[in-house]
Amino acid sequence: MLFRSNGIYSWAANVPNAGLSATSGSSVTASPTVTGTIRYSVTSVTGLGCPTSASVDITINPPPSAPSINITQPSCTIPTGTITITQVAGASYSIDGINYQASNIFSGLTPNNYSVTFKSAAGCISAITPATINPAPTGTPAYIYSIIDPTCTNGTGGIVIQQPVGSNYEYNLNGGSYQSTPSFNNLSSGNYTTTVRDKNTGCVSPASPFTIKPAPIIPSAPSINITQPTCST
């Protein structure tokens, strides 16, 4: 607020966008939208007809730069995101431009767009860094597989995963290492589990149990009795 205390007053500034609320009156409010040094001047004629004037220079500093942030997006196991703001000494932080807090970490965020700012120790509010929390990724598609049991000629079995397949999926047997091939061969009889992981999202399917049956028992060689030819037969 700029004041003069006598007569009739005229107010002016040396730059545009100086934000004067009026150009006359005993007091005006200045809300500049520019940075740098602005000279505000007031002139008046007193009740005795004497001219008088005064001026004041006010320096408007630019706002702090927009903060740097790191975003942790929702995952298959954690459906909310986190925004971590690079710390500034003495600052408080906001993701809506209204509510500020001392911590630079905002967790448990639902999918939405956020406006990240910080307020300096001097009360200056930074420029905005926009941030987006994405929806949580969906799980893996329907899981379809076929089992190959041992046979009389092949004593081991296997499993072939028919869905989902593609370059973005990888496959696991009994909690071992993931592989890109959607089949597991040379399996002895027993109980197994398989899972599928989406390489793009990290989502893992529920474990699917399956059983390889024992190999069929091959019958023993038959017992025989041979009657050889004779002179009369």
Side-chain angles (χ1 to χ4, degrees), residues 11 31 46 52 57 63 68 102 104 106-107 110 128 141 163 171 193 206 215:
W11 299 83
S31 302
T46 68
T52 183
D57 290 342
S68 299
N104 64 317
F106 294 83
S107 58
T110 56
I128 293 173
Q163 285 188 8
Y171 311 90
T193 58

Side-chain angles (χ1 to χ4, degrees), residues 13-190:
N14 65 335
V15 296
N17 301 316
L20 285 171
S21 60
T23 56
S24 63
S26 59
S27 67
V28 297
T29 300
S31 302
T33 58
V34 293
T35 59
T37 299
I38 303 173
R39 172 162 293 183
Y40 293 95
S41 302
V42 59
T43 58
S44 177
V45 177
T46 68
L48 298 176
C50 299
T52 183
S53 64
S55 63
V56 60
D57 290 342
I58 297 177
T59 299
I60 309 300
N61 296 317
S65 300
S68 299
I69 63 173
N70 181 66
I71 300 175
T72 302
Q73 296 292 354
S75 66
C76 296
T77 54
I78 301 176
T80 58
T82 299
I83 296 174
T84 302
I85 307 169
T86 300
Q87 288 185 305
V88 177
S92 56
Y93 308 90
S94 174
I95 57 172
D96 60 10
I98 300 172
N99 302 296
Y100 284 83
Q101 65 179 41
S103 174
N104 64 317
I105 299 174
F106 294 83
S107 58
L109 301 178
T110 56
N112 209 338
N113 296 318
Y114 296 89
S115 297
V116 181
T117 57
F118 71 88
K119 184 185 295 184
S120 71
C124 297
I125 296 175
S126 73
I128 293 173
T129 297
T132 299
I133 298 296
N134 299 326
T138 57
T140 54
Y143 193 96
I144 300 175
Y145 60 85
S146 60
I147 297 172
I148 302 170
D149 283 318
T151 65
C152 294
T153 57
N154 185 356
T156 59
I159 181 172
V160 177
I161 295 143
Q162 297 163 321
Q163 285 188 8
V165 292
S167 60
N168 57 313
Y169 296 108
E170 52 189 2
Y171 311 90
N172 170 289
L173 180 70
N174 282 359
S177 300
Y178 280 90
Q179 64 179 43
S180 59
T181 304
S183 62
F184 296 91
N185 302 311
N186 300 317
L187 302 180
S188 58
S189 62

